[in-house]
Amino acid sequence: MIKTKSEDLFKKALNLLPGGVDSPVRSFRSVEGTPLFISSGKGSRIKDEDGNDYIDYCMSWGPLIFGHGDTQIIEAVRETALSGTSFGAPHKFEVALAELVISMVPSIEKIRFVNSGTEAVMSAIRLARGFSGKDKIVKLDGCYHGHADFLLVAGGSGLASFGIPDSAGVTDGNARDTLIVPYNDIASLETVFEKNKGTIAALILEPVPCNYGLILPVENYLSKVRELCDRYSVLLIFDEVITGFRLGKGGAQEYYNVMPDITTLGKIIGGGLPVGAYGGRKDIMSKVAPEGPVYQAGTLSGNPLAMAAGIAAMKKLSDKNFYKELSDKGKFFSSKLISIINKYSNKVQFRSIESIFCLYFTENRNLTTVDDVKKCNMKLFAKFHSAMLNKGIYLSPSGYEVGFLSSSHSEDDIIKTISAIEESLKEIIT
Ligand SMILES: *Cc1c(COP(=O)(O)O)cnc(C)c1O
């Protein structure tokens, strides 16, 4: 496979952009080779600058639930652009998208649009603090919530530890108000709530963590989390930037029937354009400026282009067969794959939920925690990634990332992918 154009562009980019990229994980540092520069995408396929074709399972890290270049979304954006791209004044599309999202996500009564998932999460945390008058937040180890300072915090050694900065430039002060607890561990959460009684504004979590591989909640975990939050008067924030509109039209909250107080959204909500949002109960959202004292603003927030893409996406998702068909696709993929994985089950495991999947290179068949995922063999993943790329399958370039099926992946795509997985495993596992 010739990659000279991508390699040349990357060489140039390295002198101009830190690491040659605008987001670190794109840089292929945790896999083999150099990043591919993508020139176009249509449906399930992407093409790189050298003209190589791939079936894509990164899907821009989740937003592209219909695949690349969806005709209706492109048409909506094109048509809207002709009337102007941004006014910094109210626009009817903000109202239309708000109406759609509120009708789809059960716990959201009022919503504010922003430009990214990171922005949604940092605003939601500010809101939780402003509403409750408390400072501390609890974050679960292994959940990713974007790059706001107080969330770039890792757990120290030992359970229920205070956070320590996970990035240069994050102050101890920022980390100090963030408490870290392992996911799927109700006892530790209760200990932390008890020890810090009356000082915790909110607990934030990905209801289904998708940024440290895919970790599924153990039975009743989320409803027990809800109960604890109620008992200790801690606001519950579901970061549904990935799970929102992915597990179903109402996200993880509808899927598991557990309602958060505040929800953050991103990725799919923008139909491939930069949109994030946070929303929740009316009494909480009414604290947001100008209705309330919690300041948050954005020059390009809710711009008509992004809203038009979001509206087109939400309308497609509202088709009554959409999630059933996507779910069936996920089942088809899983059932084909599982029989192959079983042959290598002392080396590789597989998890999936609806249209999200993840392969782990480990002999541990009972992955439930971040520590389990940390022990996976990432060198073997790197080899696997490269073998798959050579067979025309583009996976996210990190073993900590999940894969996404879109409605544009055909049965034929899936069959091709499964046989590429089988061949790649054969090559790398001796
Ligand atoms: C991607 C992601 C974010 C950050 O969103 P950006 O748009 O990249 O800023 C936040 N939370 C979760 C769960 C995510 O997956």
Side-chain angles (χ1 to χ4, degrees):
M1 200 169 274
I2 293 166
K3 295 177 186 164
T4 47
K5 285 193 179 141
S6 281
E7 282 161 6
D8 289 348
L9 277 165
F10 191 53
K11 240 181 246 157
K12 203 167 175 192
L14 281 170
N15 284 320
L16 303 168
L17 307 165
V21 291
D22 283 315
S23 195
V25 75
R26 294 178 195 169
S27 67
F28 271 47
R29 294 228 172 166
S30 49
V31 294
E32 298 171 354
T34 51
L36 301 177
F37 280 67
I38 305 304
S39 59
S40 66
K42 192 71 196 165
S44 62
R45 308 289 172 130
I46 47 174
K47 207 187 266 299
D48 68 16
E49 288 289 347
D50 292 281
N52 304 306
D53 229 349
Y54 305 87
I55 304 174
D56 181 21
Y57 291 93
C58 174
M59 284 293 159
S60 192
W61 307 89
L64 305 182
I65 195 165
F66 314 108
H68 296 273
D70 178 80
T71 318
Q72 279 147 300
I73 294 177
I74 288 180
E75 220 20 74
V77 170
R78 193 207 307 270
E79 205 176 293
T80 305
L82 295 174
S83 322
T85 57
S86 181
F87 306 114
H91 190 274
K92 67 180 177 189
F93 287 175
E94 298 167 84
V95 182
L97 186 57
E99 226 167 13
L100 281 163
V101 175
I102 288 168
S103 75
M104 292 162 83
V105 185
S107 74
I108 297 186
E109 295 174 347
K110 234 176 193 184
I111 191 164
R112 166 68 58 87
F113 293 110
V114 293
N115 304 295
S116 70
T118 294
E119 220 187 308
V121 168
M122 60 192 252
S123 310
I125 299 279
R126 184 181 305 139
L127 172 60
R129 287 171 163 161
F131 178 80
S132 67
K134 300 172 197 164
D135 291 345
K136 287 186 180 143
I137 51 172
V138 177
K139 173 189 180 293
L140 301 188
D141 192 17
C143 290
Y144 175 70
H145 302 294
H147 63 82
D149 281 356
F150 44 84
L151 291 165
L152 280 184
V153 168
S157 55
L159 287 185
S161 57
F162 280 95
I164 46 172
D166 205 16
S167 158
V170 175
T171 64
D172 291 340
N174 257 317
R176 210 175 300 129
D177 280 331
T178 305
L179 304 161
I180 311 286
V181 177
Y183 184 86
N184 268 341
D185 181 348
I186 277 290
S188 296
L189 187 63
E190 186 163 5
T191 307
V192 167
F193 277 8
E194 183 60 38
K195 263 197 195 155
N196 298 276
K197 225 179 190 163
T199 64
I200 300 171
L203 164 66
I204 182 164
L205 74 160
E206 295 177 74
V208 180
C210 297
N211 283 288
Y212 226 110
L214 171 64
I215 300 173
L216 298 175
V218 294
E219 207 178 344
N220 294 325
Y221 175 67
L222 293 173
S223 57
K224 287 181 192 157
V225 164
R226 178 71 266 181
E227 275 167 38
L228 274 186
C229 285
D230 287 340
R231 178 141 37 100
Y232 287 90
S233 299
V234 170
L235 291 170
L236 178 57
I237 305 175
F238 274 6
D239 181 352
E240 297 229 43
V241 170
I242 285 189
T243 52
F245 314 110
R246 174 59 68 177
L247 297 188
K249 113 181 134 58
Q253 53 194 267
E254 184 178 65
Y255 196 84
Y256 291 101
N257 194 24
V258 175
M259 296 304 140
D261 301 299
I262 303 174
T263 303
T264 56
L265 296 165
K267 299 194 170 116
I268 294 174
I269 196 176
L273 265 73
V275 182
Y278 61 105
R281 278 175 18 211
K282 263 195 182 139
D283 61 321
I284 300 175
M285 290 306 289
S286 69
K287 297 292 180 216
V288 177
E291 244 178 274
V294 177
Y295 189 72
Q296 186 272 309
T299 301
L300 290 170
S301 293
N303 73 75
L305 273 196
M307 296 294 103
I311 292 165
M314 295 304 115
K315 284 191 175 152
K316 285 177 72 95
L317 295 177
S318 300
D319 181 294
K320 71 179 186 326
N321 293 323
F322 182 83
Y323 284 103
K324 168 81 173 72
E325 282 168 21
L326 189 62
S327 181
D328 288 347
K329 220 162 256 190
K331 282 185 193 125
F332 178 70
F333 183 88
S334 302
S335 66
K336 293 269 173 220
L337 184 54
I338 214 91
S339 61
I340 291 157
I341 297 293
N342 283 344
K343 282 193 237 166
Y344 296 93
S345 63
N346 56 345
K347 281 276 197 303
V348 57
Q349 316 299 326
F350 167 69
R351 289 279 183 289
S352 69
I353 179 169
E354 299 299 320
S355 54
I356 309 174
F357 65 91
C358 190
L359 291 169
Y360 312 82
F361 290 87
T362 172
E363 71 271 347
N364 182 0
R365 286 166 211 213
N366 188 31
L367 283 148
T368 51
T369 68
V370 168
D371 283 333
D372 295 336
V373 179
K374 280 181 186 159
K375 287 180 195 134
C376 291
N377 185 341
M378 292 302 165
K379 283 210 175 94
L380 206 51
F381 175 82
K383 287 208 168 81
F384 176 71
H385 183 269
S386 161
M388 290 291 280
L389 216 48
N390 286 330
K391 294 173 187 52
I393 312 289
Y394 189 92
L395 300 173
S396 297
S398 159
Y400 294 108
E401 301 293 339
V402 294
F404 296 101
L405 284 158
S406 73
S407 58
S408 64
H409 286 92
S410 66
E411 203 169 293
D412 188 48
D413 287 336
I414 293 174
I415 289 167
K416 275 199 185 106
T417 305
I418 300 290
S419 71
I421 292 175
E422 185 165 26
E423 281 170 47
S424 299
L425 290 176
K426 223 180 274 170
E427 282 169 30
I428 63 163
I429 296 176
T430 43

